[in-house]
Amino acid sequence: MDINNINWYPGHMTKTRRMMEENISLVDVVIELLDARIPYSSKNPDIDALAKNKRRVVVLNKSDLADAASTEIWSGYFKEQGFEVILADAVKGKGVKNAADAAMDLMAEKIARLKAKGRLFVPVRAMIVGIPNVGKSTFINKYVGKSTAKTGDKPGVTRGKQWIKIKKGFELLDTPGILWPKFEDREVGLKLAFTGAINDDILDAETMALELIKYIMRFNPEAIAQRYKIELKPDEEAHDIFTDIGRARGFAAKGGGIDTLRTAKIFIDEFRAGKLGRITLELPHDIKAMEEEAKKRDEEKIMRDLERKREYRRKNG
């Protein structure tokens, strides 16, 4: 499968900017959940533009699965942009209640001014956003202590918006998981696939596993060596490492090879479950290169469109 020609965008997840614009006008604070393993790739690029006049809290969820030192780097990166940052593990409830406290702290000065003008009760309303499978429903349920929001391990479980009273004076607007209308960045698409943010059927398991090996070899090769008790050779190809993993797990196939599908699924599942250790797949210094690549891709698209128009004019006078 040629990953460069994949349409990464899963159309059934489409949520329009109009929905965001309608909802964001109702709140004081925007709480954005990101996957701590891929904070840039799991960030909806529309949010910053739509929420530019709102107070912001960034929650680095699944921080238990991310490299701790890398998470600190990302935390500093977002704080420099003026965001409050919370580290969270929604499954265990770590950091969950801190998000509401941070949101209320951001509004404390405004609330005091309104009360000074005679407003006796000034509730804080926040909107929680994030791409599918980033853990929003688990985050909310852990906070309120019951299954207020639906949860699941499939992207896009939350179907419609709902207001949830978290505590006195604080209400949370839950919205469906949002992916941007179209994303064409190959690296972003891969990392969303690795972490389960988009459906697994967009990329076959063997190809996904090979690409994931390349990323882990860049950021934490020892994670593979230690998990599967294999010796990594200098400049070893991903395919050879993949074969070694299959053999180490005993997934032999007829003819001396390995069961590639079984090896791939196990490897991906173990990465997602944190069994390879705490791994982060991108850092802030990667952003510039990714943005430059996106700019180059946009420019190439403009040139292709112009050429198609010229060709059309030549053919049709």
Side-chain angles (χ1 to χ4, degrees):
M1 181 180 292
D2 184 358
I3 59 175
N4 294 310
N5 292 324
I6 290 175
N7 175 17
W8 289 106
Y9 171 60
H12 64 281
M13 293 182 190
T14 303
K15 300 296 172 185
T16 65
R17 285 176 61 94
R18 186 174 64 252
M19 184 199 76
M20 281 291 298
E21 290 167 351
E22 291 172 352
N23 290 336
I24 214 163
S25 65
L26 304 174
V27 303
D28 308 296
V29 181
V30 174
I31 301 174
E32 185 177 15
L33 264 67
L34 305 177
D35 187 321
R37 297 167 295 179
I38 53 168
Y40 175 78
S41 295
S42 62
K43 197 174 195 314
N44 185 309
D46 286 338
I47 297 299
D48 289 340
L50 294 171
K52 62 183 179 181
N53 297 321
K54 301 293 180 178
R55 306 294 174 87
R56 302 285 298 282
V57 177
V58 166
V59 178
L60 294 174
N61 194 29
K62 305 186 182 182
S63 60
D64 58 308
L65 301 176
D67 174 67
S70 298
T71 299
E72 285 302 312
I73 293 172
W74 277 109
S75 179
Y77 170 80
F78 287 117
K79 286 178 180 178
E80 287 178 358
Q81 297 182 50
F83 301 153
E84 291 294 313
V85 180
I86 304 296
L87 307 187
D89 171 5
V91 173
K92 295 181 180 178
K94 177 183 176 182
V96 170
K97 294 188 177 182
N98 294 343
D101 293 338
M104 295 190 75
D105 287 343
L106 288 173
M107 295 301 299
E109 186 177 334
K110 182 178 179 180
I111 290 172
R113 288 200 309 269
L114 291 173
K115 286 186 175 180
K117 293 179 179 179
R119 289 276 297 276
L120 298 179
F121 179 65
V122 185
V124 173
R125 286 189 157 188
M127 177 182 183
I128 188 164
V129 298
I131 68 171
N133 215 29
V134 78
K136 288 195 295 87
S137 297
T138 301
F139 188 88
I140 294 168
N141 290 345
K142 185 64 67 171
Y143 197 105
V144 299
K146 59 183 179 179
S147 294
T148 299
K150 296 179 181 179
T151 60
D153 58 3
K154 296 294 184 182
V157 169
T158 306
R159 299 302 180 187
K161 69 180 181 181
Q162 56 181 331
W163 284 102
I164 301 168
K165 289 186 178 180
I166 297 296
K167 60 181 180 180
K168 184 179 179 180
F170 185 80
E171 296 180 354
L172 190 65
L173 177 62
D174 182 28
T175 59
I178 300 169
L179 276 183
W180 41 99
K182 189 176 185 182
F183 62 96
E184 298 174 341
D185 191 307
R186 173 183 178 275
E187 287 197 41
V188 169
L190 282 171
K191 284 178 274 191
L192 291 173
F194 297 155
T195 56
I198 56 179
N199 288 337
D200 286 340
D201 58 8
I202 199 169
L203 190 66
D204 68 73
E206 291 95 331
T207 300
M208 194 190 307
L210 289 171
E211 294 295 327
L212 179 56
I213 287 172
K214 294 176 185 177
Y215 272 90
I216 295 178
M217 288 298 293
R218 174 187 169 193
F219 287 97
N220 190 358
E222 284 302 307
I224 293 177
Q226 293 176 10
R227 176 63 183 174
Y228 301 105
K229 305 297 187 290
I230 60 177
E231 183 179 351
L232 299 174
K233 305 176 184 65
D235 301 320
E236 189 171 8
E237 295 291 334
H239 183 272
D240 295 327
I241 298 171
F242 179 73
T243 301
D244 290 343
I245 291 171
R247 287 174 179 159
R249 293 304 300 265
F251 298 156
K254 293 181 180 180
I258 62 166
D259 185 332
T260 57
L261 181 58
R262 190 179 180 193
T263 300
K265 288 184 175 180
I266 286 293
F267 179 67
I268 294 165
D269 287 346
E270 291 191 338
F271 163 73
R272 291 175 178 173
K275 293 183 179 180
L276 276 73
R278 300 175 64 170
I279 299 173
T280 298
L281 297 177
E282 60 190 13
L283 289 169
H285 63 67
D286 297 320
I287 294 175
K288 184 176 180 181
M290 294 175 71
E291 289 178 342
E292 288 177 350
E293 182 63 28
K295 181 180 179 182
K296 178 182 176 182
R297 189 171 50 252
D298 290 342
E299 290 172 350
E300 290 173 348
K301 183 178 183 299
I302 290 171
M303 294 303 296
R304 288 196 302 271
D305 290 343
L306 287 173
E307 184 58 35
R308 279 195 291 267
K309 289 179 180 178
R310 292 192 191 103
E311 183 64 22
Y312 177 83
R313 292 190 187 111
R314 282 196 294 268
K315 291 180 177 180
N316 296 276

